[in-house]
Amino acid sequence: MRCPFCGHHDTQVVETRDSDEGDSTRRRRKCHGCDKRFTTYERAEIDLPAIVKRDGRRTDYDRAKLKGSMLIALRKRPVSAEALEGALESIEAKLRQCGEKEVNSTQLGEWVMRELRKLDKVAYVRFASVYRSFDDVSEFVAAIKETGNKRGAKDGAKDGASED
């Protein structure tokens, strides 16, 4: 494994852990060239269904693209990289379990929103606003209500605390 920092080819695995689901392995590595540490993930390569876009185009599932869009929604939110990886694993498990050769992007988007809702409600609303193409404030209000946040506007609470 080549070091992503200096490009040195000699790295050492210093820690190995299986994911909670048991379908991937997380490895912490140390570069012998620059002494920096980095994480790699190992998972079985399985063909996932093609994604059918709203306009009918078909494209291969792209984990990096999905992760990128989720990262945009999660920008500056207190969600760990491990939690994001877990959400991606969950979405990919749904793709594998559906048993189809093609999945509508609408279904994939719903799965993404469900996972983001579990991770962070602000990220959920951000993603939903783009995914569902909100046109006015009432659509934002409806999405916020979907999160189950019971906080009143006058209670002075901060940071999305709820009374669940």
Side-chain angles (χ1 to χ4, degrees):
M1 172 66 59
R2 187 173 356 139
C3 175
F5 302 106
C6 71
H8 196 266
H9 286 283
D10 191 15
T11 63
Q12 175 184 4
V13 175
V14 293
E15 178 186 1
T16 300
R17 290 187 187 176
D18 288 334
S19 69
D20 291 337
E21 295 81 23
D23 54 1
S24 67
T25 301
R26 176 183 177 268
R27 299 189 195 282
R28 288 291 296 158
R29 296 178 178 268
K30 180 180 177 182
C31 175
H32 290 291
C34 66
D35 282 337
K36 290 191 178 180
R37 292 177 182 240
F38 59 98
T39 302
T40 61
Y41 292 90
E42 177 183 312
R43 66 182 53 80
E45 190 170 321
I46 298 171
D47 289 336
L48 293 172
I51 307 302
V52 181
K53 304 285 189 170
R54 291 179 183 169
D55 65 3
R57 288 181 297 125
R58 283 157 177 73
T59 183
D60 291 335
Y61 169 77
D62 185 347
R63 180 187 180 93
K65 184 176 177 183
L66 181 59
K67 183 177 182 178
S69 64
M70 291 175 76
L71 281 170
I72 290 169
L74 289 163
R75 185 172 292 147
K76 295 186 180 183
R77 300 300 305 157
V79 176
S80 70
E82 288 80 17
L84 175 59
E85 284 297 321
L88 287 164
E89 292 291 335
S90 178
I91 292 165
E92 288 176 349
K94 287 178 177 76
L95 284 167
R96 283 190 298 274
Q97 291 167 357
C98 77
E100 301 293 327
K101 292 186 180 203
E102 297 179 336
V103 172
N104 286 322
S105 61
T106 305
Q107 179 62 63
L108 180 60
E110 292 300 322
W111 289 335
V112 170
M113 287 195 305
R114 192 173 302 140
E115 291 300 319
L116 283 173
R117 187 173 177 183
K118 292 178 202 173
L119 291 177
D120 185 88
K121 291 178 180 170
V122 170
Y124 164 78
V125 173
R126 286 177 178 169
F127 187 88
S129 71
V130 173
Y131 179 71
R132 292 183 178 161
S133 303
F134 290 175
D135 292 325
D136 60 39
V137 175
S138 65
E139 292 174 292
F140 275 100
V141 171
I144 291 168
K145 286 181 181 178
E146 285 178 27
T147 66
N149 192 344
K150 298 175 185 173
R151 188 178 100 183
K154 299 179 185 177
D155 69 1
K158 289 186 175 184
D159 298 324
S162 67
E163 299 171 5
D164 292 337

